[in-house]
């Protein structure tokens, strides 16, 4: 039964994410955390896999429509994302050893909520997008 609920959450999150122009991962994790069925690491794994599948689908869709890709930019973002993910995972595991699981979940959910509010305000108030060309700055971000 929980598998069906998780599939529904991923479907809903990816649909809402696609409509808003953001990834669904920011929606998936808090909803799965709210159910409190699996531990934090398992939910993070499910969420990461769902986001990875969405990214693959989106990339294949763009390739089929013959969109141009900036391969250098894609590689820089991919490599720095992997590095950032590893650092984030180490930090997350360290926090789980020091603090209670509930505290880590609360901080993570609060951070995701703030990020979602920022993204929502970005779209509502139509802030000007920055088109950053500096590869070092892109890597840092």
């Amino acid at each position: 039964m929980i598998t069906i609920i998780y599939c529904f959450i991923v479907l809903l999150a990816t649909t809402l994410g696609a409509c808003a122009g953001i990834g669904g991962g920011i929606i998936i994790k808090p909803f799965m955390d709210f159910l409190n069925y699996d531990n934090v690491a398992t939910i993070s794994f499910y969420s990461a896999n769902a986001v990875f599948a969405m990214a693959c689908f989106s990339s294949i869709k763009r390739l089929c429509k013959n969109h141009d890709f900036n391969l250098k930019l894609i590689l820089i973002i991919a490599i720095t994302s992997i590095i950032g993910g590893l650092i984030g995972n180490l930090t997350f595991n360290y926090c789980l050893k020091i603090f209670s699981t509930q505290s880590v979940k609360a901080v993570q959910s609060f951070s995701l909520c703030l990020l979602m509010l920022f993204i929502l305000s970005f779209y509502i108030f139509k802030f000007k997008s920055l088109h950053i060309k500096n590869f070092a700055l892109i890597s840092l971000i």
Side-chain angles (χ1 to χ4, degrees), residues 104-117:
V104 173
K105 283 169 99 173
V107 169
Q108 193 174 37
S109 294
F110 180 73
S111 300
L112 286 173
C113 183
L114 285 178
L115 182 61
M116 187 60 122
L117 288 173

Side-chain angles (χ1 to χ4, degrees), residues 8-9 16 25 48-49 54 56 74-75 95 115 119 126 128:
F8 179 74
I9 290 171
L16 289 174
N49 279 306
M54 288 184 292
C56 288
I74 290 171
L75 287 174
C95 289
L115 182 61
I119 292 169
K126 307 275 190 227
K128 182 180 176 186

Side-chain angles (χ1 to χ4, degrees), residues 5-32:
I5 294 171
Y6 280 179
C7 288
F8 179 74
I9 290 171
V10 170
L11 179 65
L12 179 68
T14 54
T15 303
L16 289 174
C19 291
I22 59 171
I26 199 166
I27 300 169
I28 294 170
K29 183 139 182 25
F31 275 90
M32 288 183 177

Side-chain angles (χ1 to χ4, degrees), residues 6 29 33 36-45 101 105:
Y6 280 179
K29 183 139 182 25
D33 278 340
N36 204 23
Y37 184 79
D38 285 312
N39 62 37
V40 177
T42 303
I43 290 172
S44 294
F45 176 76
T101 302
K105 283 169 99 173

Side-chain angles (χ1 to χ4, degrees), residues 16-92:
L16 289 174
C19 291
I22 59 171
I26 199 166
I27 300 169
I28 294 170
K29 183 139 182 25
F31 275 90
M32 288 183 177
D33 278 340
F34 177 74
L35 293 176
N36 204 23
Y37 184 79
D38 285 312
N39 62 37
V40 177
T42 303
I43 290 172
S44 294
F45 176 76
Y46 292 154
S47 179
N49 279 306
V51 171
F52 179 70
M54 288 184 292
C56 288
F57 178 78
S58 177
S59 297
I60 291 168
K61 184 178 166 187
R62 289 181 67 96
L63 279 173
C64 290
K65 290 184 176 182
N66 293 325
H67 283 277
D68 289 332
F69 284 97
N70 182 342
L71 190 58
K72 185 177 179 182
L73 179 63
I74 290 171
L75 287 174
I76 287 172
I77 292 174
I79 291 167
T80 55
S81 294
I82 291 168
I83 294 168
L86 291 172
I87 292 169
N89 191 40
L90 290 172
T91 305
F92 180 73

